[in-house]
Amino acid sequence: MDLKYYFLPCLLLLAAASVATQLSLPSRHSRHPVLHWATDDNPERVAQVAGFERWLRRHHYRYFTLRLDFVNDDLSKDIIQGVSGDADDLMDMYSFGQMDFMQACGLLYNVAPDAQKMGFDSNHTWPVLRSYLVHKGRQYLYPRSVGPLLYWVNRATFARYRQPVPPRNWTFGQFQRRGLAFVHAANAQPRRGSRQKVFFANAVDTRFMRRSLGLSIFNATLTRCILNDPRYVRVLRLAYRWTFVDHLVPTPAQQASFATRTGYAGPMLQLFNSGDFGMIYTGRFVLVQLRRFYKTSGALALAVSDPPYGRVPSSVLAAGGPAIYIGSAHKKLAEYFLAYLASRGHNMQIARDGDDLPPNPIYTRTRAFLSPRRYPNEFGCSGAFAQAARTIALPAAYSPFVLDSTVTRIVQGEAEAGFMAGIYTARQAARLAADRINRRIAENVRASPRLQKLYTTLVRRQRRIDHWRQAGRAIPPRLIRNPFYRWYYGRVNQNPRDTSGLGVRTHV
């Protein structure tokens, strides 16, 4: 029998199903315009959309429906759908490097013309974010929430092993000494062949470690990766020692075994709650899940410690939020959502619910944020995150000449993973990371006339900076494009001494 008699009915059936699907979409039957927001599957998102709808009604703005889209919360999907003209109206950007890339692709809408009059310009968020949010007078997003990465401390776990609670601020040496004492006390007299069950922390982050020694991933003009540096080599060796020698944090193999333990938000919080980790390195947003644990296992006695440092305390500031798709048919309506994120209602909801820090820092001084009545076990913790955001935290540096995702893959997925697996020495890993990133920068610059012009200008500026540094002259901040170095040079003058406790040499 001719196959066309099979294919034709199948084709007609699929066409009918497609039409039926389109007709059944909620937006087809809504009396109001329907916008879609691609974001992560966080239980707080539903409450945030509900708060937005109440805000619209209260202010008598034009009403519309905002629907959550968890399926398409992915950069590759955003790009494909954006280029094809079918992306969500609002798309969450999880780093400023991701935002810069999407903007370079021509997929984001510039909200600067309306941001000031609607109250969501860069003056209504954390000062440290302003140079990231606005470039050449253009703004593409407003943060949904902001948060540094610090160590949450389970006080009960330290009390169980008669160990002092970690201090708020500490050096590399103090972290190492206290960690050794903790793991020895918590894993005393293990049986032969038994595996270690309790760790000082779940992870260490080489980003804050090298930055605390004054080393960014890029030079002052963001034109070159400079990880082939003795400071990065020392950081890698220290991370290896804390993992494989001192066993303060689990190895990659041990982390993989933990992944078999399921639970909402992954195994990390489950292990922290049960006492397998004395500390976890993460943001304030984990309160959303920790508070769920309180209902079944009782409230955890919590404290917060900054990441240990070598010369200057440092932390990574996570910040991101929704940007508007330039092809959206409802761009002006989508701006109302950004205005809502800057409103008191949203900021107070973030302050109360624990989903990181409010995007406007003035709301971190409220009683609901600092001393939540329902959770006295958290007193002092949220304030520690706010103080870190004001004093020691900065977003990760990114370069306009290479994708942020490419840098992460090379540094973490190739160089650092290869070093921890014994494939490379620390020096080889540092050189590999720098060489591969710089090779990718050169390829991107050659392929883009727009980048060539900017690159030539900034390389010329970098030569001036290098010459002035060699001559011992102060470098004007206006010449420094890398925000980390503008931040670091201001801090290092306040703390010129090496306080790592490990004899780490540092260079400005």
Side-chain angles (χ1 to χ4, degrees):
M1 188 175 181
D2 196 333
L3 291 178
K4 67 182 179 183
Y5 294 109
Y6 288 101
F7 287 130
L8 184 59
C10 290
L11 179 61
L12 294 174
L13 181 62
L14 289 172
S18 178
V19 171
T21 301
Q22 288 294 321
L23 292 175
S24 65
L25 290 175
S27 57
R28 289 279 182 176
H29 304 285
S30 176
R31 295 178 300 168
H32 311 288
V34 177
L35 278 67
H36 294 85
W37 174 22
T39 186
D40 62 326
D41 189 4
N42 184 313
E44 290 301 306
R45 299 293 171 261
V46 174
Q48 288 163 9
V49 170
F52 171 57
E53 292 175 347
R54 290 193 299 269
W55 179 82
L56 283 175
R57 290 193 294 268
R58 188 180 309 119
H59 290 83
H60 307 289
Y61 291 137
R62 178 181 175 185
Y63 189 76
F64 59 93
T65 302
L66 180 63
R67 299 193 186 281
L68 296 167
D69 180 3
F70 301 138
V71 175
N72 291 306
D73 182 39
D74 179 82
L75 178 61
S76 59
K77 291 182 179 180
D78 290 339
I79 296 171
I80 294 172
Q81 294 171 352
V83 172
S84 65
D86 193 32
D88 286 318
D89 304 276
L90 291 151
M91 303 177 289
D92 267 1
M93 304 286 109
Y94 295 100
S95 72
F96 290 108
Q98 182 177 339
M99 179 200 74
D100 194 56
F101 173 70
M102 291 290 285
Q103 180 272 327
C105 294
L107 298 177
L108 302 185
Y109 176 63
N110 175 26
V111 298
D114 296 322
Q116 187 170 5
K117 64 182 180 182
M118 296 181 70
F120 61 89
D121 60 293
S122 62
N123 291 322
H124 291 82
T125 189
W126 297 79
V128 73
L129 298 180
R130 290 172 186 168
S131 62
Y132 292 85
L133 276 178
V134 180
H135 181 59
K136 293 184 178 180
R138 292 174 173 265
Q139 179 180 339
Y140 296 98
L141 62 79
Y142 184 84
R144 182 186 66 248
S145 59
V146 175
L149 301 180
L150 306 179
Y151 281 103
W152 281 100
V153 179
N154 188 337
R155 289 176 176 269
T157 302
F158 283 83
R160 183 183 309 155
Y161 302 114
R162 299 182 179 179
Q163 295 298 304
V165 174
R168 173 69 188 281
N169 308 105
W170 46 355
T171 64
F172 288 163
Q174 292 170 327
F175 181 88
Q176 182 172 296
R177 288 190 294 273
R178 286 176 177 262
L180 282 170
F182 176 88
V183 296
H184 289 161
N187 300 278
Q189 299 178 345
R191 292 179 297 176
R192 183 180 297 274
S194 63
R195 62 182 180 87
Q196 180 177 337
K197 294 183 177 180
V198 182
F199 295 87
F200 189 49
N202 71 311
V204 292
D205 189 340
T206 57
R207 293 177 298 175
F208 76 73
M209 294 173 69
R210 58 173 167 74
R211 294 204 311 186
S212 79
L213 295 176
L215 181 66
S216 176
I217 196 168
F218 298 107
N219 62 9
T221 56
L222 303 170
T223 54
R224 186 171 182 81
C225 176
I226 56 173
L227 286 182
N228 190 10
D229 184 285
R231 288 167 288 183
Y232 186 46
V233 172
R234 295 189 183 99
V235 163
L236 290 176
R237 289 172 176 167
L238 196 56
Y240 184 91
R241 172 174 177 168
W242 289 348
T243 304
F244 292 98
V245 179
D246 298 336
H247 304 290
L248 308 187
V249 299
T251 67
Q254 289 167 330
Q255 290 175 348
S257 69
F258 292 151
T260 60
R261 303 190 192 182
T262 59
Y264 177 76
M268 177 182 67
L269 295 182
Q270 302 283 357
L271 295 169
F272 178 67
N273 185 52
S274 62
D276 295 76
F277 291 142
M279 306 186 300
I280 53 172
Y281 176 69
T282 185
R284 180 178 179 261
F285 60 86
V286 298
L287 284 179
V288 173
Q289 177 60 14
L290 288 178
R291 288 172 178 175
R292 294 179 177 227
F293 291 156
Y294 301 167
K295 298 177 181 179
T296 56
S297 58
L300 293 174
L302 296 170
V304 173
S305 290
D306 293 343
Y309 65 93
R311 188 176 190 186
V312 173
S314 175
S315 177
V316 178
L317 185 69
I324 300 174
Y325 173 45
I326 197 167
S328 169
H330 306 291
K331 291 189 284 291
K332 293 300 181 180
L333 293 181
E335 286 185 331
Y336 283 116
F337 185 59
L338 301 190
Y340 166 70
L341 296 181
S343 71
R344 173 179 173 81
H346 174 74
N347 277 269
M348 288 303 298
Q349 184 174 359
I350 293 291
R352 288 190 300 266
D353 295 349
D355 189 18
D356 244 328
L357 304 185
N360 190 326
I362 66 172
Y363 295 97
T364 62
R365 296 182 172 90
T366 60
R367 179 175 295 179
F369 178 84
L370 295 171
S371 307
R373 292 182 179 178
R374 294 177 58 191
Y375 308 106
N377 60 307
E378 298 171 5
F379 283 12
C381 294
S382 292
F385 277 90
Q387 183 180 1
R390 285 191 292 267
T391 57
I392 69 171
L394 200 71
Y398 67 92
S399 169
F401 306 107
V402 62
L403 287 179
D404 198 34
S405 57
T406 299
V407 172
T408 300
R409 174 179 56 79
I410 292 174
V411 174
Q412 298 180 10
E414 297 177 14
E416 293 189 3
F419 165 68
M420 298 298 269
I423 299 173
Y424 310 119
T425 66
R427 292 184 183 276
Q428 289 171 338
R431 186 166 54 249
L432 179 144
D435 289 348
R436 291 189 179 177
I437 292 173
N438 288 327
R439 190 180 309 129
R440 188 57 63 89
I441 288 175
E443 293 171 355
N444 293 340
V445 169
R446 282 196 301 268
S448 171
R450 180 185 65 86
L451 289 181
Q452 287 174 11
K453 183 178 180 180
L454 176 61
Y455 183 79
T456 301
T457 301
L458 293 179
V459 166
R460 190 179 301 119
R461 183 187 299 182
Q462 184 66 46
R463 292 196 189 103
R464 292 175 60 191
I465 292 173
D466 294 340
H467 177 73
W468 287 10
R469 182 184 289 117
Q470 292 171 3
R473 296 174 58 184
I475 303 168
R478 60 182 172 79
L479 294 181
I480 301 175
R481 190 178 175 95
N482 188 332
F484 168 77
Y485 282 118
R486 289 198 299 268
W487 175 89
Y488 179 76
Y489 291 152
R491 298 301 189 278
V492 76
N493 292 329
Q494 304 170 13
N495 186 21
R497 187 169 57 89
D498 170 26
T499 56
S500 67
L502 298 172
V504 179
R505 292 182 295 132
T506 58
H507 312 275
V508 179

